[in-house]
Amino acid sequence: MEKPALDNITATIRQGIITGLVGPDAAGKTTLIRLMAGLLIPSAGDIQVMGLNTIKDADRLHEIIGYMPQKFGLYEDLTVIENLNLFADLQDLKGAERKAAFEDMLKFTSLKPFIYRLAGNLSGGMKQKLGLACALLGRPKVLLLDEPTVGVDPLSRRELWKMVTGLVHEGISVVWSTSYLDEADKCQDVLLLNEGKLLFNGPPKELTKRVEGRVFLVNVPLKTRRRDLKELLSRHDVTDGLLQGNTIRLVCSPSFHRGPKESQWQPTQPRFEDAFVDVLGGGPGGASLLADKIPTKKENHIPPIQAEHLTKRFGNFTAVNDISFTIKRGEVFGLLGPNGAGKSTTFKMLCGLLQPTMGKALVSGLDLKTASSEARSRIGYMAQKFSLYSDLSVKENLDFFSGVYGLIGNKRKNKIEEMITIFDLSSFLDDNAGLLPLGYKQRLALACALMHEPDVLFLDEPTSGVDPITRREFWSHINGMAEKGVTIMVSTHFLEEAEYCDRISLIYQGMSIASGTPDDLKDSVKTKEMPNPTLEDAFITLIEQIDARKANERTGS
């Protein structure tokens, strides 16, 4: 018998607060939100929203609920104002009421200057703001948000959170599904689901208490931190570990006893994410079967990746402006920046998918303009958006990409079997790739990018929207590959995982505005008011400094 998507869930969501809905991929979060919205009918049991039964009172239910789906649910070939008009028609908003609602929403979301822009041409943050505006047009009493900040940069995430917090002050009740557990930590209540079961329901601080006294920071040498993390995660009394610059954050099991070896470990305040991973049985560990299968890359004096004055113009618009950097063998290099900063354009030029207007993109010393096929044979690329064939099965995608990369015979067959085992894809082989849970889509995309054992790997937001457990699994593979000499360039909006990078370049408005180690960037924004900035603090502060400087230049002050 097939497992239910939700299994005997009983919970009460309090009115007038933000309730976080968290859990790993395929936990049942989207199913629960769609049941609340009246879009699915429960197999057993019932749901009431503000006293209305989701089946019997479906027509009245839609009058009090605003729903923002996980995938962008608007029409990309309509403008901002056309999408608003369509949703206003659906809500039967007319005349002065419609005009007032539009004025409120455009002011609230700061979208007024963009009303004639096609929705498909908006940045990730703007798309989510438009989705939120459309969900709010009917002035709902309950707002259901399914992963509203997936693929959204930290600046836009903060803006969206501020906007939704303001709605709660106006009396709207919010259910916020998220894979970012710092957001869950800000919620008044949290529902934690796993495999369709409710594991926790209450204030996040209550769950966080379970790991009090078990969370430590360990100082390690920068050069050996990946190996040190792997070694620490192999201990039976360590349930989770993360890199944070030149420190490792560890969560220990209840059986942990601090001995002389651990005397230098610094106790630190636990977070909701520590408890989340702990209650799910711990992280995936630090070992990577993928890295174990990869041969160590040969030493070479030629830098694996070089960007020399890269510039890309689209008509009068400059997407990337004079960017240069060199990445060493076995280095993990992070490209950070807000939506629309030029990260994906830079990635595509370095992969040979876009020709630069000026400058050079070199892979292992080969110019992608003149030696594109030879250079590309050394590259693995995982795109920002799921770019495999959605209508093909998992097995068909693996077979197709192994062929594209020139694998034949037993080598091809063995590599496919190897990827199926490493990424745990055996249960999904006949499923259409487009219907996979997000975490498995990303596993399949990474498997296809690695078929030919590339020297250089480009990962454009590889963990966007995946749960913390899957994120750790990906970084175990990335760390392991880097130890084997694979050179990796990665972009991410989740700045905690950017701590894994050896160096970072922060891109804004097509230019590199800061570069260095994660600790370098944090140190650059330290003040008396902010003595221990996070990487997210550094990201936002550095961008705000550029904006302030440009504003001063415009006003001549």
Side-chain angles (χ1 to χ4, degrees):
M1 186 178 171
E2 198 173 319
K3 269 187 175 182
L6 291 172
D7 190 357
N8 197 27
I9 302 285
T10 300
T12 299
I13 292 176
R14 292 192 286 148
Q15 192 173 340
I17 64 168
I18 302 178
T19 300
L21 188 57
V22 299
D25 290 322
K29 303 186 294 296
T30 296
T31 301
L32 183 56
I33 280 190
R34 297 190 77 195
L35 283 164
M36 290 178 189
L39 299 172
L40 292 176
I41 296 172
S43 305
D46 71 292
I47 299 177
Q48 295 206 0
V49 179
M50 304 287 287
L52 299 177
N53 185 283
T54 57
I55 302 171
K56 297 174 186 173
D57 306 309
D59 291 341
R60 290 169 61 201
L61 183 73
H62 296 149
E63 294 172 10
I64 64 163
I65 280 182
Y67 170 59
M68 187 171 159
Q70 189 175 25
K71 290 181 180 177
F72 184 61
L74 307 184
Y75 291 91
E76 299 211 350
D77 53 352
L78 297 183
T79 63
V80 167
I81 195 67
E82 287 169 340
N83 270 290
L84 286 169
N85 274 315
L86 174 62
F87 275 76
D89 289 343
L90 293 171
Q91 295 286 350
D92 201 28
L93 284 178
K94 295 175 182 173
E97 188 183 8
R98 175 183 289 215
K99 187 179 177 184
F102 280 15
E103 195 64 34
D104 285 350
M105 285 303 103
L106 291 170
K107 184 180 177 183
F108 178 58
T109 57
S110 305
L111 285 172
K112 197 165 188 175
F114 309 100
I115 58 172
Y116 299 115
R117 185 175 293 185
L118 290 177
N121 293 337
L122 296 174
S123 70
M126 285 182 181
K127 281 182 177 178
Q128 297 304 76
K129 286 179 183 179
L130 178 57
L132 184 59
C134 291
L136 290 170
L137 277 179
R139 303 192 183 279
K141 294 179 181 177
V142 177
L143 183 61
L144 306 175
L145 304 175
D146 194 0
E147 303 268 12
T149 51
V150 166
V152 173
D153 66 71
L155 275 169
S156 299
R157 275 213 300 142
R158 283 195 182 185
E159 285 177 14
L160 282 165
W161 184 264
K162 190 177 178 182
M163 288 162 63
V164 173
T165 303
L167 294 171
V168 171
H169 291 152
E170 294 175 14
I172 294 177
S173 303
V174 178
V175 177
W176 181 302
S177 169
T178 182
S179 56
Y180 293 100
L181 296 188
D182 59 327
E183 291 174 350
D185 221 348
K186 296 175 190 172
C187 297
Q188 286 83 5
D189 280 346
V190 165
L191 273 68
L192 169 55
L193 300 176
N194 186 40
E195 295 182 346
K197 294 184 181 294
L198 182 64
L199 300 188
F200 175 80
N201 180 12
K205 285 182 174 59
E206 290 297 315
L207 188 69
T208 304
K209 282 180 185 175
R210 71 177 273 135
V211 291
E212 274 184 4
R214 296 200 270 129
V215 186
F216 299 89
L217 294 178
V218 184
N219 287 313
V220 291
L222 214 53
K223 284 185 177 179
T224 63
R225 62 190 188 133
R226 290 195 178 92
R227 269 170 281 161
D228 292 335
L229 175 63
K230 182 180 176 182
E231 190 177 309
L232 286 165
L233 286 173
S234 69
R235 289 177 49 150
H236 73 278
D237 56 356
V238 171
T239 61
D240 189 30
L242 294 170
L243 290 181
Q244 292 185 343
N246 64 347
T247 63
I248 294 173
R249 183 186 187 88
L250 289 180
V251 181
C252 296
S253 69
S255 64
F256 171 75
H257 293 290
R258 199 170 174 188
K261 281 185 180 178
E262 296 81 31
S263 60
Q264 298 302 310
W265 293 13
Q266 236 182 328
T268 192
Q269 196 67 27
R271 304 175 308 192
F272 180 77
E273 184 164 329
D274 300 324
F276 173 96
V277 175
D278 188 71
V279 81
L280 291 173
S288 166
L289 183 57
L290 173 66
D292 291 343
K293 299 281 186 182
I294 291 175
T296 301
K297 302 298 177 183
K298 292 177 182 177
E299 292 281 358
N300 195 322
H301 70 281
I302 300 171
I305 302 174
Q306 286 174 280
E308 295 183 357
H309 305 289
L310 274 184
T311 299
K312 183 62 183 178
R313 296 190 187 100
F314 297 96
N316 295 324
F317 174 66
T318 302
V320 175
N321 188 9
D322 194 24
I323 286 179
S324 297
F325 51 76
T326 298
I327 307 177
K328 295 178 287 189
R329 176 186 170 276
E331 191 173 22
V332 180
F333 186 88
L335 204 61
L336 306 184
N339 294 113
K343 302 185 302 297
S344 291
T345 303
T346 303
F347 262 71
K348 287 174 182 175
M349 285 191 284
L350 286 164
C351 292
L353 298 174
L354 272 179
Q355 289 292 337
T357 308
M358 293 173 61
K360 286 183 180 180
L362 304 170
V363 171
S364 299
L366 299 168
D367 190 331
L368 284 158
K369 261 187 181 177
T370 56
S372 57
S373 59
E374 190 181 350
R376 283 178 192 167
S377 69
R378 304 183 185 197
I379 290 172
Y381 173 57
M382 183 174 164
Q384 184 179 10
K385 290 183 179 176
F386 184 65
S387 58
L388 306 187
Y389 292 93
S390 295
D391 293 333
L392 295 184
S393 70
V394 169
K395 180 72 164 60
E396 287 166 339
N397 268 288
L398 290 169
D399 193 52
F400 174 78
F401 280 93
S402 62
V404 165
Y405 288 123
L407 302 183
I408 57 173
N410 281 335
K411 189 174 182 182
R412 182 175 185 171
K413 181 184 174 187
N414 293 339
K415 183 55 72 173
I416 290 172
E417 289 303 320
E418 191 177 285
M419 290 300 174
I420 290 168
T421 301
I422 288 168
F423 291 103
D424 192 24
L425 297 170
S426 57
S427 302
F428 301 95
L429 292 179
D430 297 323
D431 294 0
N432 276 12
L435 301 178
L436 292 174
L438 180 58
Y440 281 94
K441 276 185 179 177
Q442 300 299 78
R443 284 173 178 163
L444 177 60
L446 183 57
C448 290
L450 292 169
M451 281 285 182
H452 57 311
E453 298 178 357
D455 298 331
V456 173
L457 184 60
F458 292 95
L459 303 174
D460 197 359
E461 297 190 32
T463 62
S464 179
V466 303
D467 64 78
I469 305 292
T470 306
R471 199 180 299 136
R472 282 157 172 75
E473 177 194 320
F474 264 55
W475 278 97
S476 291
H477 294 318
I478 292 168
N479 288 337
M481 285 189 287
E483 287 290 297
K484 287 291 189 78
V486 179
T487 304
I488 299 162
M489 187 170 168
V490 62
S491 73
T492 178
H493 285 316
F494 189 75
L495 295 190
E496 284 228 336
E497 72 180 14
E499 295 271 14
Y500 284 86
C501 297
D502 298 299
R503 286 186 301 135
I504 287 167
S505 179
L506 178 56
I507 308 291
Y508 183 47
Q509 295 178 350
M511 296 180 289
S512 178
I513 62 169
S515 61
T517 67
D519 286 345
D520 288 340
L521 267 62
K522 288 183 283 186
D523 289 344
S524 72
V525 300
K526 271 186 181 176
T527 60
K528 285 183 181 178
E529 295 76 27
M530 193 165 57
N532 297 301
T534 63
L535 201 49
E536 184 168 311
D537 293 329
F539 178 101
I540 290 169
T541 302
L542 289 164
I543 286 171
E544 287 175 343
Q545 287 173 357
I546 295 291
D547 286 342
R549 194 181 307 149
K550 288 190 174 180
N552 288 337
E553 288 169 0
R554 283 196 299 270
T555 58
S557 57

